[in-house]
Amino acid sequence: MNQKVPITIAHGDGIGPEIMEATLKVLRASSAALDYREVEIGEKVYLAGHPTGIEDSTWETIRQTKAFLKAPITTPQGGGFKSLNVTIRTTLGLYANVRPCVSYHPFVATKHPEMDVVIVRENEEDLYSGIEYRQSPEVCESIKLISEPGSEKIIRYAFEYAKRNNRKKVTCFVKDNIMKLTDGLFHAVFNRVAKEYPNIESDHWIVDIGAAKLADTPELFDVVVMPNLYGDILSDVGAQIAGSVGLVGSANIGDHGAMFEAIHGSAPRRAGQNVANPSALMLASVLLLLHVGLKHEAEAIHNAWLKTIEDGVHTYDIFKEGVSKQKVGTKEFADAVAGNLGQKPSELKAVSYGESKIEKEPVFKRTPIKVKRKLVGIDVYIYSNLTLEEFEKNMTSESYGEFKLEMISNRGARVYPGGMPETFCIDQWRVRFMHEGLCTQEDLLDLLKSLIKGRWDIIKTEHLYEFNGEPGYSSPKG
């Protein structure tokens, strides 16, 4: 008798318990050799006093199992509650979020009958690092972090995914015409990694026109890799134009674990009514089975699900008169899928995992980057309600020793030198000082002390460095 694979399951909130029970019914009917370990996460845990929605003891259960199947959870309204999804992904290093967006024409309404796109989203950094500050009465800041190792991990994963799954092309979406350092780094790493996969086509799109093309002509794309925020938004767009966000499961993959979930939320308004579509979580369970090596069971469930869709047995969200044959509830849909185990669709393309080679994703090894780093100056953020004219006059009338006041900007727009009176200014100012010699940390401290003595209200600072002679900061020209 084969040893069972231990997995963690969480029933979640809202419609979560219903779609999880439906998914477990199909998993058990498939005789998948799984050992289910249940945990409680989400709304009840939040309200019991845990701001992350998960108890300390739960982490050990998740870490000891091979995979985590999670139903949607509800984050309570109000401040102080952190996203549980983000917490799990970052804590366990689940850096790759994989979302297959496939159309099921003609059985599910779509304008894109040939769509078959996989969105690979970076899962740990970007704006989802959640590093935010209120800097002044008028300004809040969110820090966008893009790292070279983080970019390489996700981009290499996308190419390896394409290689394993016989995909022909990997496309990169970024906005490096504006965010030249952060998105520019992601794009540069993409270009470098792509050269290692000469048999896979690669291309790049600026994210805004890329998103328009994805929505209009998804057939242009195969595997699309992108930073966290763009990936979150566009995977929902991709799912919806393929047919419905209710039909897309998600895999969160790391070097030491994995989490599988529906991409939609907990939909509390639909809870307890036996109407929710369990398809997204069912298809997430297929991804889980593939991840743990139970490919025959994954194939059986996936084909049974396709057969059910083809039979016109649909939940309310995808039901369409003239196409669908029977409107069913959550439980009845699960019964239909379980009853179709061992069968395959005749019109929709059946999946075949039985002969495929399921490979473990390679563990990414970080190699520290060796560059010459030189401190050359500092950007000082200052809180002040002075007018532009007053601020400029007061700031430029002072002497700063070996530092040169190179620039004053407001909301990223340069207002000195060469500013325009039409520029709208708020109460947060960025002042750039460049050192005219060999700059040290002590020099920066002396500058800051002089600013404080001049009664300037300093919000924060950013040190300015050159890396191998190239500036590691945005241009003073704006």
Side-chain angles (χ1 to χ4, degrees):
M1 182 177 179
N2 292 333
Q3 187 174 3
K4 291 186 176 181
V5 177
I7 67 166
T8 301
I9 61 169
H11 288 261
D13 304 311
I15 61 172
E18 296 168 84
I19 65 173
M20 178 60 80
E21 283 304 320
T23 299
L24 292 176
K25 179 166 191 170
V26 175
L27 282 170
R28 289 176 175 129
S30 75
S31 300
L34 298 173
D35 175 16
Y36 305 97
R37 316 248 177 115
E38 294 192 21
V39 296
E40 181 77 55
I41 61 172
E43 190 171 30
K44 291 180 182 177
V45 182
Y46 278 119
L47 298 178
H50 299 272
T52 58
I54 185 169
E55 296 183 34
D56 292 343
S57 59
T58 302
W59 285 113
E60 203 55 36
T61 302
I62 296 172
R63 292 177 65 225
Q64 288 176 355
T65 53
K66 297 292 185 182
F68 180 23
L69 183 63
K70 183 186 76 65
I73 62 102
T74 299
T75 302
Q77 296 294 316
F81 298 108
K82 186 174 181 180
S83 166
L84 178 57
N85 279 351
V86 172
T87 298
I88 294 171
R89 291 166 184 162
T90 55
T91 301
L92 299 180
L94 308 181
Y95 64 90
N97 190 310
V98 183
R99 297 181 172 184
C101 301
V102 183
S103 66
Y104 303 102
H105 175 80
F107 305 101
V108 177
T110 177
K111 295 179 181 178
H112 308 288
E114 303 300 320
M115 183 175 178
D116 184 359
V117 177
V118 177
I119 300 217
V120 178
R121 163 193 172 195
E122 197 286 319
N123 226 13
E124 295 179 294
E125 45 189 42
D126 193 13
L127 287 165
Y128 282 55
S129 298
I131 305 172
E132 295 188 299
Y133 303 98
R134 184 167 186 176
Q135 296 184 324
S136 75
E138 295 180 344
V139 177
C140 292
E141 174 192 47
S142 183
I143 296 179
K144 177 184 176 88
L145 292 177
I146 300 288
S147 72
E148 184 148 345
S151 299
E152 183 175 347
K153 278 199 302 183
I154 192 63
I155 291 164
R156 193 171 295 282
Y157 181 93
F159 278 96
E160 287 292 327
Y161 180 95
K163 182 179 175 181
R164 288 196 308 271
N165 293 279
N166 297 314
R167 295 276 177 163
K168 306 302 181 185
K169 182 171 72 170
V170 178
T171 301
C172 170
F173 279 10
V174 286
K175 187 67 177 173
D176 58 337
N177 59 330
I178 303 298
M179 287 165 281
K180 298 179 185 297
L181 293 180
T182 50
D183 284 26
L185 174 60
F186 195 93
H187 188 185
V189 174
F190 178 83
N191 288 344
R192 189 185 75 223
V193 173
K195 293 177 182 177
E196 300 177 31
Y197 297 86
N199 295 325
I200 298 174
E201 184 184 349
S202 63
D203 64 354
H204 158 263
W205 291 75
I206 297 296
V207 65
D208 42 12
I209 187 62
K213 284 292 184 182
L214 177 66
D216 179 70
T217 321
E219 299 82 10
L220 289 175
F221 303 102
D222 194 352
V223 176
V224 186
V225 62
M226 59 190 98
N228 206 332
L229 177 63
Y230 310 145
D232 190 10
I233 295 169
L234 291 183
S235 57
D236 277 13
V237 171
Q240 187 63 27
I241 64 174
S244 170
V245 292
L247 302 180
V248 178
S250 171
N252 299 267
I253 307 295
D255 292 336
H256 309 290
M259 177 174 70
F260 302 85
E261 59 188 344
I263 73 168
H264 58 71
S266 59
R269 288 180 298 177
R270 299 292 184 183
Q273 301 171 37
N274 190 40
V275 296
N277 189 343
S279 293
L281 194 61
M282 282 187 187
L283 293 179
S285 76
V286 170
L287 298 175
L288 181 151
L289 291 169
L290 288 172
H291 179 76
V292 300
L294 298 176
K295 53 190 177 181
H296 297 291
E297 293 83 349
E299 179 181 313
I301 292 175
H302 201 162
N303 281 325
W305 181 86
L306 290 168
K307 180 70 165 61
T308 304
I309 294 296
E310 189 177 271
D311 287 345
V313 180
H314 298 163
T315 48
Y316 82 98
D317 55 316
I318 60 171
F319 184 88
K320 186 176 181 180
E321 293 289 350
V323 176
S324 306
K325 293 184 173 59
Q326 184 181 2
K327 184 187 291 186
V328 296
T330 312
K331 295 177 182 177
E332 292 74 25
F333 185 84
D335 290 339
V337 175
N340 281 330
L341 286 168
Q343 299 186 59
K344 294 182 179 181
S346 55
E347 287 190 55
L348 292 173
K349 184 180 179 181
V351 298
S352 178
Y353 300 126
E355 302 303 320
S356 64
K357 184 179 181 183
I358 306 299
E359 299 178 3
K360 187 70 176 175
E361 291 80 10
V363 175
F364 177 82
K365 295 182 179 179
R366 175 176 171 259
T367 302
I369 301 168
K370 295 181 180 180
V371 297
K372 185 177 180 181
R373 188 177 70 135
K374 180 183 177 183
L375 180 63
V376 294
I378 188 170
D379 277 355
V380 182
Y381 289 77
I382 291 174
Y383 166 57
S384 173
N385 275 311
L386 293 175
T387 65
L388 169 57
E389 183 179 8
E390 292 169 336
F391 188 90
E392 179 185 324
K393 180 180 178 181
N394 290 353
M395 185 61 68
T396 57
S397 65
E398 299 182 23
S399 174
Y400 302 103
E402 295 186 64
F403 285 94
K404 175 187 176 183
L405 196 165
E406 184 177 78
M407 174 193 71
I408 301 172
S409 73
N410 194 289
R411 293 196 301 170
R414 186 182 61 172
V415 295
Y416 169 85
M420 301 293 178
E422 292 85 2
T423 303
F424 181 78
C425 294
I426 55 174
D427 64 4
Q428 181 229 52
W429 307 80
R430 177 174 57 135
V431 186
R432 175 165 295 175
F433 297 94
M434 302 300 292
H435 198 274
E436 296 180 333
L438 182 63
C439 189
T440 66
Q441 301 280 352
E442 288 76 12
D443 293 329
L444 299 183
L445 288 174
D446 290 340
L447 172 65
L448 295 176
K449 287 177 182 177
S450 71
L451 290 170
I452 293 169
K453 286 180 180 178
R455 298 186 180 278
W456 291 110
D457 188 342
I458 298 173
I459 297 171
K460 64 168 284 188
T461 63
E462 288 284 350
H463 293 190
L464 307 179
Y465 292 95
E466 290 181 354
F467 294 85
N468 290 339
E470 295 292 326
Y473 46 90
S474 55
S475 168
K477 297 180 180 179

